Amino acid sequence: MMKICVVDDEKTVREAIVRKLERLNKPIEVFDVGSGYEALDTIRLIRPELLITDIMIPELSGLDMLAMLKKENNHTEIALISGYDEFNFARKAIQHGAVRYLLKPVQMEELIELIELVDSRLIDRWKADMKERVWELKRHSLSIGELESKQIAAWFDDKTPIVIRWSEQPVSEDAEVVFTFNVNDRHRGEVRTADPGASNVFYDRSEFASRLRRAEEQWQNERFFGERRQPAAADGSDYEKRLLRQMQKLHDQMLKDAKGMHSDDLHEHLEQWFLSAEPLHSSKLKKQCAYLIAALDNVMTSSKEVSVVTEEQVMHWLEWVGGFATWEELKISMSHFIVDGLKALHECTVVAQNLGLTAQVLRLLEQSSDPQTSLNTIAAQLNVHPVTISKTIRQETGKKFVDLLVARKIEIGKNLLMQSDKTVIDIALETGYSDFRYFSKLFKKTYGLTPNEFRQTKKSPHQS
């Protein structure tokens, strides 16, 4: 709701303007003041979106008030009114930053145009402000789009409590909705005004990104587990620590099962591991899943007694794990990779030789520019089990599949840095890394420079 302050030492003039504003039937709140210093104190306290003030008022002129508010970086828009049609007044008003200079008596049409102008400027200010919020969210792999303003004045009012809510249906004309948006093209959200005692309210718009990340994590957790809305194990609790210790024991046992080719035992221990992992929050559970798959992939494809899991392997599998909408889907796919993968090792050598597997994999990697390319997608293309590819590549090249994939993605990122003006965040996403900081780390590890440093020193001559 737009707040408007009307200032004039003549009560009849103030009341006439107030009556006209109230007849506009717009979402506004109007209050009036008689003197300049009183008006200044009121504006500092209430911070209205619009001030309509006479130029010639006692104590403090409208021009002086305008200059003082601008100096204080107050964002209240100011329209000056006067009974004199003199160019000098209008010129000074515009010079001091007034949005309009109006003559008395102020006409209804002029007030309509004035409010529409202020509303338009508010929306422009909101769009500029949201660019910063959108950028901050992008750094955390969240994109928001389809921004639509509703009652945007509340966004800049640090005395109005606001809250983020998900919305299943398009918003009707609801006075509580400040603006709407979507998140990662998955679902719609709203910023709404709320009661001070409501849950998850905030006042400072700089908290928007952190609040939205928290709301998104909660939504992901609820969707991932279905009917179980809240994780049973709180972060850092004794219960969670006990679960993690139990999972580690089963993890170690599964490595022995895989090394000894005991597929039945591996299946049984994996099911027990799933039960132990389920009470964790989805974000922590997914990290544990990624680490388990990376460790078992190492054991099943390497002849070494001790195999170290690298950060690249964990991050690769974390991206894969993150692609599953529900816990049930993830468990099925993990069982397929782990248990069926162990069974596939019995025929791995024959299959690989018959298909010329290594050459096909390397060719697909070289030709691919799809950010979703992974061990599993290439295995699906070649109609073989992922473990078959992983072991064959390691035997014939001495390298892990993940290392070859990382090298290809970083090469694609390098070409994008040289041939485009896209941001590092966008390039990271285009190469399959939702965390641009990890992409930058891999890039520097490969080329000895950060992406931005590389762009400055290595970009194509036509871009100089």
Side-chain angles (χ1 to χ4, degrees), residues 206-233:
S206 68
E207 293 184 32
F208 173 72
S210 62
R211 295 280 181 161
L212 181 58
R213 290 201 307 273
R214 199 177 309 162
E216 173 72 5
E217 286 175 1
Q218 182 178 349
W219 179 85
Q220 290 275 22
N221 193 65
E222 292 173 355
R223 186 182 72 144
F224 188 70
F225 289 115
E227 294 182 359
R228 182 167 72 78
R229 293 301 182 187
Q230 295 295 331

PDB file of all heavy atoms in Angstrom, residues 206-233:
ATOM      1  N   SER A 206      17.329  -7.420   2.527  1.00  0.00           N
ATOM      2  CA  SER A 206      18.618  -8.056   2.257  1.00  0.00           C
ATOM      3  C   SER A 206      18.624  -9.517   2.707  1.00  0.00           C
ATOM      4  O   SER A 206      19.505 -10.287   2.326  1.00  0.00           O
ATOM      5  CB  SER A 206      19.750  -7.291   2.949  1.00  0.00           C
ATOM      6  OG  SER A 206      19.653  -7.418   4.357  1.00  0.00           O
ATOM      7  N   GLU A 207      17.622  -9.912   3.506  1.00  0.00           N
ATOM      8  CA  GLU A 207      17.520 -11.306   3.950  1.00  0.00           C
ATOM      9  C   GLU A 207      16.801 -12.187   2.930  1.00  0.00           C
ATOM     10  O   GLU A 207      16.700 -13.401   3.137  1.00  0.00           O
ATOM     11  CB  GLU A 207      16.755 -11.374   5.281  1.00  0.00           C
ATOM     12  CG  GLU A 207      17.460 -10.744   6.466  1.00  0.00           C
ATOM     13  CD  GLU A 207      16.678 -10.949   7.751  1.00  0.00           C
ATOM     14  OE1 GLU A 207      15.999 -11.987   7.867  1.00  0.00           O
ATOM     15  OE2 GLU A 207      16.734 -10.080   8.628  1.00  0.00           O
ATOM     16  N   PHE A 208      16.305 -11.585   1.855  1.00  0.00           N
ATOM     17  CA  PHE A 208      15.476 -12.339   0.915  1.00  0.00           C
ATOM     18  C   PHE A 208      16.177 -13.592   0.398  1.00  0.00           C
ATOM     19  O   PHE A 208      15.601 -14.687   0.394  1.00  0.00           O
ATOM     20  CB  PHE A 208      15.070 -11.445  -0.259  1.00  0.00           C
ATOM     21  CG  PHE A 208      14.351 -12.170  -1.356  1.00  0.00           C
ATOM     22  CD1 PHE A 208      13.052 -12.617  -1.174  1.00  0.00           C
ATOM     23  CD2 PHE A 208      14.963 -12.422  -2.574  1.00  0.00           C
ATOM     24  CE1 PHE A 208      12.376 -13.294  -2.177  1.00  0.00           C
ATOM     25  CE2 PHE A 208      14.303 -13.094  -3.579  1.00  0.00           C
ATOM     26  CZ  PHE A 208      12.999 -13.525  -3.383  1.00  0.00           C
ATOM     27  N   ALA A 209      17.430 -13.466  -0.043  1.00  0.00           N
ATOM     28  CA  ALA A 209      18.136 -14.608  -0.642  1.00  0.00           C
ATOM     29  C   ALA A 209      18.303 -15.744   0.365  1.00  0.00           C
ATOM     30  O   ALA A 209      18.035 -16.909   0.059  1.00  0.00           O
ATOM     31  CB  ALA A 209      19.487 -14.169  -1.192  1.00  0.00           C
ATOM     32  N   SER A 210      18.742 -15.415   1.574  1.00  0.00           N
ATOM     33  CA  SER A 210      18.952 -16.472   2.577  1.00  0.00           C
ATOM     34  C   SER A 210      17.625 -17.102   2.980  1.00  0.00           C
ATOM     35  O   SER A 210      17.544 -18.322   3.190  1.00  0.00           O
ATOM     36  CB  SER A 210      19.683 -15.906   3.799  1.00  0.00           C
ATOM     37  OG  SER A 210      18.920 -14.895   4.422  1.00  0.00           O
ATOM     38  N   ARG A 211      16.573 -16.296   3.091  1.00  0.00           N
ATOM     39  CA  ARG A 211      15.253 -16.838   3.438  1.00  0.00           C
ATOM     40  C   ARG A 211      14.716 -17.745   2.334  1.00  0.00           C
ATOM     41  O   ARG A 211      14.119 -18.790   2.601  1.00  0.00           O
ATOM     42  CB  ARG A 211      14.276 -15.686   3.675  1.00  0.00           C
ATOM     43  CG  ARG A 211      14.608 -14.811   4.857  1.00  0.00           C
ATOM     44  CD  ARG A 211      14.158 -15.441   6.148  1.00  0.00           C
ATOM     45  NE  ARG A 211      14.457 -14.590   7.288  1.00  0.00           N
ATOM     46  CZ  ARG A 211      13.868 -14.697   8.471  1.00  0.00           C
ATOM     47  NH1 ARG A 211      12.962 -15.637   8.666  1.00  0.00           N
ATOM     48  NH2 ARG A 211      14.196 -13.900   9.462  1.00  0.00           N
ATOM     49  N   LEU A 212      14.938 -17.335   1.085  1.00  0.00           N
ATOM     50  CA  LEU A 212      14.459 -18.154  -0.027  1.00  0.00           C
ATOM     51  C   LEU A 212      15.227 -19.461  -0.120  1.00  0.00           C
ATOM     52  O   LEU A 212      14.645 -20.516  -0.378  1.00  0.00           O
ATOM     53  CB  LEU A 212      14.573 -17.373  -1.343  1.00  0.00           C
ATOM     54  CG  LEU A 212      14.067 -18.109  -2.590  1.00  0.00           C
ATOM     55  CD1 LEU A 212      12.601 -18.493  -2.418  1.00  0.00           C
ATOM     56  CD2 LEU A 212      14.253 -17.262  -3.837  1.00  0.00           C
ATOM     57  N   ARG A 213      16.530 -19.415   0.111  1.00  0.00           N
ATOM     58  CA  ARG A 213      17.326 -20.657   0.107  1.00  0.00           C
ATOM     59  C   ARG A 213      16.810 -21.612   1.171  1.00  0.00           C
ATOM     60  O   ARG A 213      16.687 -22.815   0.930  1.00  0.00           O
ATOM     61  CB  ARG A 213      18.812 -20.351   0.358  1.00  0.00           C
ATOM     62  CG  ARG A 213      19.518 -19.650  -0.769  1.00  0.00           C
ATOM     63  CD  ARG A 213      21.027 -19.828  -0.691  1.00  0.00           C
ATOM     64  NE  ARG A 213      21.565 -19.460   0.591  1.00  0.00           N
ATOM     65  CZ  ARG A 213      21.943 -18.241   0.938  1.00  0.00           C
ATOM     66  NH1 ARG A 213      21.806 -17.247   0.079  1.00  0.00           N
ATOM     67  NH2 ARG A 213      22.460 -17.991   2.120  1.00  0.00           N
ATOM     68  N   ARG A 214      16.507 -21.072   2.352  1.00  0.00           N
ATOM     69  CA  ARG A 214      16.016 -21.902   3.441  1.00  0.00           C
ATOM     70  C   ARG A 214      14.651 -22.505   3.080  1.00  0.00           C
ATOM     71  O   ARG A 214      14.393 -23.681   3.324  1.00  0.00           O
ATOM     72  CB  ARG A 214      15.902 -21.046   4.701  1.00  0.00           C
ATOM     73  CG  ARG A 214      15.836 -21.845   5.997  1.00  0.00           C
ATOM     74  CD  ARG A 214      15.789 -20.910   7.188  1.00  0.00           C
ATOM     75  NE  ARG A 214      16.844 -19.914   7.129  1.00  0.00           N
ATOM     76  CZ  ARG A 214      16.829 -18.781   7.833  1.00  0.00           C
ATOM     77  NH1 ARG A 214      15.820 -18.505   8.625  1.00  0.00           N
ATOM     78  NH2 ARG A 214      17.822 -17.928   7.730  1.00  0.00           N
ATOM     79  N   ALA A 215      13.775 -21.682   2.498  1.00  0.00           N
ATOM     80  CA  ALA A 215      12.456 -22.176   2.106  1.00  0.00           C
ATOM     81  C   ALA A 215      12.567 -23.228   1.015  1.00  0.00           C
ATOM     82  O   ALA A 215      11.848 -24.233   1.015  1.00  0.00           O
ATOM     83  CB  ALA A 215      11.588 -21.007   1.626  1.00  0.00           C
ATOM     84  N   GLU A 216      13.502 -23.023   0.087  1.00  0.00           N
ATOM     85  CA  GLU A 216      13.702 -23.989  -0.996  1.00  0.00           C
ATOM     86  C   GLU A 216      14.230 -25.312  -0.459  1.00  0.00           C
ATOM     87  O   GLU A 216      13.802 -26.387  -0.884  1.00  0.00           O
ATOM     88  CB  GLU A 216      14.680 -23.402  -2.025  1.00  0.00           C
ATOM     89  CG  GLU A 216      15.103 -24.358  -3.128  1.00  0.00           C
ATOM     90  CD  GLU A 216      14.015 -24.640  -4.140  1.00  0.00           C
ATOM     91  OE1 GLU A 216      12.940 -24.025  -4.043  1.00  0.00           O
ATOM     92  OE2 GLU A 216      14.241 -25.488  -5.019  1.00  0.00           O
ATOM     93  N   GLU A 217      15.154 -25.253   0.487  1.00  0.00           N
ATOM     94  CA  GLU A 217      15.690 -26.475   1.089  1.00  0.00           C
ATOM     95  C   GLU A 217      14.583 -27.262   1.802  1.00  0.00           C
ATOM     96  O   GLU A 217      14.529 -28.493   1.713  1.00  0.00           O
ATOM     97  CB  GLU A 217      16.805 -26.125   2.075  1.00  0.00           C
ATOM     98  CG  GLU A 217      18.106 -25.699   1.400  1.00  0.00           C
ATOM     99  CD  GLU A 217      19.149 -25.255   2.404  1.00  0.00           C
ATOM    100  OE1 GLU A 217      18.851 -25.298   3.633  1.00  0.00           O
ATOM    101  OE2 GLU A 217      20.242 -24.846   1.985  1.00  0.00           O
ATOM    102  N   GLN A 218      13.724 -26.532   2.503  1.00  0.00           N
ATOM    103  CA  GLN A 218      12.628 -27.201   3.190  1.00  0.00           C
ATOM    104  C   GLN A 218      11.675 -27.846   2.192  1.00  0.00           C
ATOM    105  O   GLN A 218      11.223 -28.981   2.374  1.00  0.00           O
ATOM    106  CB  GLN A 218      11.866 -26.197   4.065  1.00  0.00           C
ATOM    107  CG  GLN A 218      10.732 -26.843   4.863  1.00  0.00           C
ATOM    108  CD  GLN A 218      10.031 -25.840   5.758  1.00  0.00           C
ATOM    109  OE1 GLN A 218      10.495 -24.723   5.949  1.00  0.00           O
ATOM    110  NE2 GLN A 218       8.890 -26.234   6.308  1.00  0.00           N
ATOM    111  N   TRP A 219      11.391 -27.129   1.099  1.00  0.00           N
ATOM    112  CA  TRP A 219      10.500 -27.671   0.067  1.00  0.00           C
ATOM    113  C   TRP A 219      11.111 -28.911  -0.566  1.00  0.00           C
ATOM    114  O   TRP A 219      10.430 -29.916  -0.775  1.00  0.00           O
ATOM    115  CB  TRP A 219      10.240 -26.607  -0.986  1.00  0.00           C
ATOM    116  CG  TRP A 219       9.358 -27.074  -2.101  1.00  0.00           C
ATOM    117  CD1 TRP A 219       7.998 -27.097  -2.128  1.00  0.00           C
ATOM    118  CD2 TRP A 219       9.782 -27.593  -3.371  1.00  0.00           C
ATOM    119  NE1 TRP A 219       7.552 -27.592  -3.325  1.00  0.00           N
ATOM    120  CE2 TRP A 219       8.617 -27.904  -4.106  1.00  0.00           C
ATOM    121  CE3 TRP A 219      11.023 -27.817  -3.963  1.00  0.00           C
ATOM    122  CZ2 TRP A 219       8.669 -28.430  -5.395  1.00  0.00           C
ATOM    123  CZ3 TRP A 219      11.078 -28.343  -5.236  1.00  0.00           C
ATOM    124  CH2 TRP A 219       9.908 -28.646  -5.936  1.00  0.00           C
ATOM    125  N   GLN A 220      12.416 -28.844  -0.865  1.00  0.00           N
ATOM    126  CA  GLN A 220      13.108 -29.994  -1.464  1.00  0.00           C
ATOM    127  C   GLN A 220      13.059 -31.193  -0.517  1.00  0.00           C
ATOM    128  O   GLN A 220      12.851 -32.333  -0.944  1.00  0.00           O
ATOM    129  CB  GLN A 220      14.569 -29.630  -1.746  1.00  0.00           C
ATOM    130  CG  GLN A 220      14.750 -28.626  -2.865  1.00  0.00           C
ATOM    131  CD  GLN A 220      14.769 -29.289  -4.225  1.00  0.00           C
ATOM    132  OE1 GLN A 220      14.268 -30.392  -4.402  1.00  0.00           O
ATOM    133  NE2 GLN A 220      15.342 -28.615  -5.202  1.00  0.00           N
ATOM    134  N   ASN A 221      13.273 -30.941   0.761  1.00  0.00           N
ATOM    135  CA  ASN A 221      13.271 -32.031   1.742  1.00  0.00           C
ATOM    136  C   ASN A 221      11.896 -32.689   1.828  1.00  0.00           C
ATOM    137  O   ASN A 221      11.774 -33.913   1.861  1.00  0.00           O
ATOM    138  CB  ASN A 221      13.681 -31.488   3.102  1.00  0.00           C
ATOM    139  CG  ASN A 221      14.007 -32.583   4.092  1.00  0.00           C
ATOM    140  OD1 ASN A 221      14.965 -33.330   3.907  1.00  0.00           O
ATOM    141  ND2 ASN A 221      13.211 -32.701   5.136  1.00  0.00           N
ATOM    142  N   GLU A 222      10.839 -31.859   1.848  1.00  0.00           N
ATOM    143  CA  GLU A 222       9.484 -32.396   1.934  1.00  0.00           C
ATOM    144  C   GLU A 222       9.121 -33.181   0.676  1.00  0.00           C
ATOM    145  O   GLU A 222       8.519 -34.258   0.755  1.00  0.00           O
ATOM    146  CB  GLU A 222       8.488 -31.256   2.160  1.00  0.00           C
ATOM    147  CG  GLU A 222       8.630 -30.604   3.529  1.00  0.00           C
ATOM    148  CD  GLU A 222       7.755 -29.379   3.676  1.00  0.00           C
ATOM    149  OE1 GLU A 222       7.117 -28.990   2.667  1.00  0.00           O
ATOM    150  OE2 GLU A 222       7.705 -28.810   4.781  1.00  0.00           O
ATOM    151  N   ARG A 223       9.494 -32.644  -0.473  1.00  0.00           N
ATOM    152  CA  ARG A 223       9.190 -33.346  -1.726  1.00  0.00           C
ATOM    153  C   ARG A 223       9.991 -34.635  -1.840  1.00  0.00           C
ATOM    154  O   ARG A 223       9.496 -35.665  -2.300  1.00  0.00           O
ATOM    155  CB  ARG A 223       9.510 -32.433  -2.920  1.00  0.00           C
ATOM    156  CG  ARG A 223       9.095 -33.020  -4.263  1.00  0.00           C
ATOM    157  CD  ARG A 223       9.465 -32.118  -5.412  1.00  0.00           C
ATOM    158  NE  ARG A 223      10.889 -32.105  -5.661  1.00  0.00           N
ATOM    159  CZ  ARG A 223      11.438 -32.016  -6.865  1.00  0.00           C
ATOM    160  NH1 ARG A 223      10.674 -31.916  -7.934  1.00  0.00           N
ATOM    161  NH2 ARG A 223      12.729 -31.988  -7.021  1.00  0.00           N
ATOM    162  N   PHE A 224      11.246 -34.616  -1.378  1.00  0.00           N
ATOM    163  CA  PHE A 224      12.135 -35.758  -1.508  1.00  0.00           C
ATOM    164  C   PHE A 224      11.628 -36.951  -0.704  1.00  0.00           C
ATOM    165  O   PHE A 224      11.655 -38.086  -1.160  1.00  0.00           O
ATOM    166  CB  PHE A 224      13.533 -35.351  -1.039  1.00  0.00           C
ATOM    167  CG  PHE A 224      14.599 -36.379  -1.286  1.00  0.00           C
ATOM    168  CD1 PHE A 224      15.030 -36.651  -2.581  1.00  0.00           C
ATOM    169  CD2 PHE A 224      15.173 -37.073  -0.239  1.00  0.00           C
ATOM    170  CE1 PHE A 224      16.020 -37.591  -2.821  1.00  0.00           C
ATOM    171  CE2 PHE A 224      16.159 -38.011  -0.457  1.00  0.00           C
ATOM    172  CZ  PHE A 224      16.586 -38.268  -1.759  1.00  0.00           C
ATOM    173  N   PHE A 225      11.133 -36.691   0.500  1.00  0.00           N
ATOM    174  CA  PHE A 225      10.703 -37.772   1.374  1.00  0.00           C
ATOM    175  C   PHE A 225       9.206 -38.050   1.310  1.00  0.00           C
ATOM    176  O   PHE A 225       8.721 -38.971   1.966  1.00  0.00           O
ATOM    177  CB  PHE A 225      11.092 -37.475   2.819  1.00  0.00           C
ATOM    178  CG  PHE A 225      12.570 -37.579   3.074  1.00  0.00           C
ATOM    179  CD1 PHE A 225      13.298 -36.461   3.428  1.00  0.00           C
ATOM    180  CD2 PHE A 225      13.231 -38.792   2.945  1.00  0.00           C
ATOM    181  CE1 PHE A 225      14.669 -36.555   3.661  1.00  0.00           C
ATOM    182  CE2 PHE A 225      14.589 -38.888   3.178  1.00  0.00           C
ATOM    183  CZ  PHE A 225      15.307 -37.762   3.536  1.00  0.00           C
ATOM    184  N   GLY A 226       8.467 -37.272   0.563  1.00  0.00           N
ATOM    185  CA  GLY A 226       7.035 -37.525   0.445  1.00  0.00           C
ATOM    186  C   GLY A 226       6.290 -37.177   1.711  1.00  0.00           C
ATOM    187  O   GLY A 226       6.325 -36.045   2.174  1.00  0.00           O
ATOM    188  N   GLU A 227       5.620 -38.155   2.308  1.00  0.00           N
ATOM    189  CA  GLU A 227       4.776 -37.884   3.467  1.00  0.00           C
ATOM    190  C   GLU A 227       5.584 -37.519   4.712  1.00  0.00           C
ATOM    191  O   GLU A 227       5.071 -36.859   5.606  1.00  0.00           O
ATOM    192  CB  GLU A 227       3.891 -39.096   3.765  1.00  0.00           C
ATOM    193  CG  GLU A 227       2.861 -39.380   2.687  1.00  0.00           C
ATOM    194  CD  GLU A 227       1.978 -40.553   3.040  1.00  0.00           C
ATOM    195  OE1 GLU A 227       2.198 -41.146   4.123  1.00  0.00           O
ATOM    196  OE2 GLU A 227       1.080 -40.874   2.243  1.00  0.00           O
ATOM    197  N   ARG A 228       6.842 -37.961   4.798  1.00  0.00           N
ATOM    198  CA  ARG A 228       7.645 -37.592   5.970  1.00  0.00           C
ATOM    199  C   ARG A 228       8.156 -36.176   5.782  1.00  0.00           C
ATOM    200  O   ARG A 228       9.140 -35.925   5.105  1.00  0.00           O
ATOM    201  CB  ARG A 228       8.821 -38.559   6.148  1.00  0.00           C
ATOM    202  CG  ARG A 228       9.648 -38.233   7.400  1.00  0.00           C
ATOM    203  CD  ARG A 228      10.591 -39.361   7.735  1.00  0.00           C
ATOM    204  NE  ARG A 228      11.683 -39.463   6.801  1.00  0.00           N
ATOM    205  CZ  ARG A 228      12.747 -38.672   6.806  1.00  0.00           C
ATOM    206  NH1 ARG A 228      12.826 -37.667   7.642  1.00  0.00           N
ATOM    207  NH2 ARG A 228      13.728 -38.867   5.952  1.00  0.00           N
ATOM    208  N   ARG A 229       7.468 -35.214   6.375  1.00  0.00           N
ATOM    209  CA  ARG A 229       7.714 -33.796   6.113  1.00  0.00           C
ATOM    210  C   ARG A 229       8.993 -33.281   6.754  1.00  0.00           C
ATOM    211  O   ARG A 229       9.635 -32.393   6.245  1.00  0.00           O
ATOM    212  CB  ARG A 229       6.532 -32.953   6.620  1.00  0.00           C
ATOM    213  CG  ARG A 229       5.258 -33.196   5.850  1.00  0.00           C
ATOM    214  CD  ARG A 229       5.447 -32.881   4.386  1.00  0.00           C
ATOM    215  NE  ARG A 229       4.231 -33.051   3.630  1.00  0.00           N
ATOM    216  CZ  ARG A 229       4.169 -32.973   2.318  1.00  0.00           C
ATOM    217  NH1 ARG A 229       5.255 -32.745   1.628  1.00  0.00           N
ATOM    218  NH2 ARG A 229       3.036 -33.140   1.675  1.00  0.00           N
ATOM    219  N   GLN A 230       9.346 -33.775   7.924  1.00  0.00           N
ATOM    220  CA  GLN A 230      10.510 -33.257   8.628  1.00  0.00           C
ATOM    221  C   GLN A 230      11.518 -34.371   8.878  1.00  0.00           C
ATOM    222  O   GLN A 230      11.138 -35.500   9.173  1.00  0.00           O
ATOM    223  CB  GLN A 230      10.094 -32.635   9.970  1.00  0.00           C
ATOM    224  CG  GLN A 230       9.202 -31.412   9.828  1.00  0.00           C
ATOM    225  CD  GLN A 230       9.921 -30.255   9.160  1.00  0.00           C
ATOM    226  OE1 GLN A 230      11.134 -30.129   9.272  1.00  0.00           O
ATOM    227  NE2 GLN A 230       9.179 -29.417   8.466  1.00  0.00           N
ATOM    228  N   PRO A 231      12.818 -34.047   8.781  1.00  0.00           N
ATOM    229  CA  PRO A 231      13.821 -35.072   9.099  1.00  0.00           C
ATOM    230  C   PRO A 231      13.760 -35.421  10.573  1.00  0.00           C
ATOM    231  O   PRO A 231      13.532 -34.575  11.427  1.00  0.00           O
ATOM    232  CB  PRO A 231      15.143 -34.380   8.741  1.00  0.00           C
ATOM    233  CG  PRO A 231      14.858 -32.920   8.837  1.00  0.00           C
ATOM    234  CD  PRO A 231      13.426 -32.759   8.412  1.00  0.00           C
ATOM    235  N   ALA A 232      13.966 -36.701  10.878  1.00  0.00           N
ATOM    236  CA  ALA A 232      13.876 -37.142  12.270  1.00  0.00           C
ATOM    237  C   ALA A 232      15.141 -36.810  13.044  1.00  0.00           C
ATOM    238  O   ALA A 232      15.113 -36.708  14.259  1.00  0.00           O
ATOM    239  CB  ALA A 232      13.610 -38.645  12.325  1.00  0.00           C
ATOM    240  N   ALA A 233      16.251 -36.661  12.357  1.00  0.00           N
ATOM    241  CA  ALA A 233      17.522 -36.412  13.032  1.00  0.00           C
ATOM    242  C   ALA A 233      17.950 -34.964  12.834  1.00  0.00           C
ATOM    243  O   ALA A 233      18.235 -34.545  11.730  1.00  0.00           O
ATOM    244  CB  ALA A 233      18.598 -37.352  12.491  1.00  0.00           C
TER     245      ALA A 233
END
